[in-house]
Amino acid sequence: MSNHETAWPKELRVSPDRRRLTVRFTDERSYEIEAELLRVRSPSAEVQGHSPGQRVTVGGKSEITISKVLPVGNYAVRLVFDDGHDTGIFTWAFLSELGEAKEERWAEYIAELADKGMSRIF
């Protein structure tokens, strides 16, 4: 089993400006993940589709904030964003993987926006 599958968060904290989520795991790893990245890489079907080819590129979210963090059982949280998006279930493994690969995911996102003539700004 990888760290993504075995580590549990011991702290989830939204920044005062609501633009970042800090996740601290029991194995002492800690990640600060921007609300924008969480929103545009949401694990929801609305963003991810039902296959890799159906994934949607979401632009215009540079000012997005996290409105609520709601527990989902003991394995995930549902993040509610100020644009009303609330269908993503963020598992501990997903948050761990996103935090670990944050720079790579940002670069992929920026490249996707450029390829599609889209912008981070609304």
Side-chain angles (χ1 to χ4, degrees), residues 1-7:
M1 288 190 141
S2 72
N3 282 348
H4 301 303
E5 297 166 354
T6 59

Side-chain angles (χ1 to χ4, degrees), residues 11-78:
E11 179 184 13
L12 293 171
R13 188 182 61 223
V14 178
S15 64
D17 66 2
R18 312 209 57 84
R19 294 187 189 276
R20 291 174 305 287
L21 177 69
T22 299
V23 184
R24 292 188 203 290
F25 288 91
T26 53
D27 63 4
E28 299 308 318
R29 289 175 303 123
S30 179
Y31 303 110
E32 185 176 84
I33 308 170
E34 291 77 6
E36 180 182 4
L37 186 60
L38 290 161
R39 173 60 178 89
V40 302
R41 288 296 187 243
S42 170
S44 69
E46 176 185 328
V47 174
Q48 296 301 324
H50 297 286
S51 69
Q54 292 182 336
R55 190 162 59 78
V56 175
T57 302
V58 180
K61 299 300 178 185
S62 64
E63 300 297 319
I64 198 85
T65 60
I66 299 167
S67 300
K68 294 180 188 172
V69 178
L70 305 170
V72 177
N74 62 358
Y75 70 96
V77 290
R78 179 185 308 267

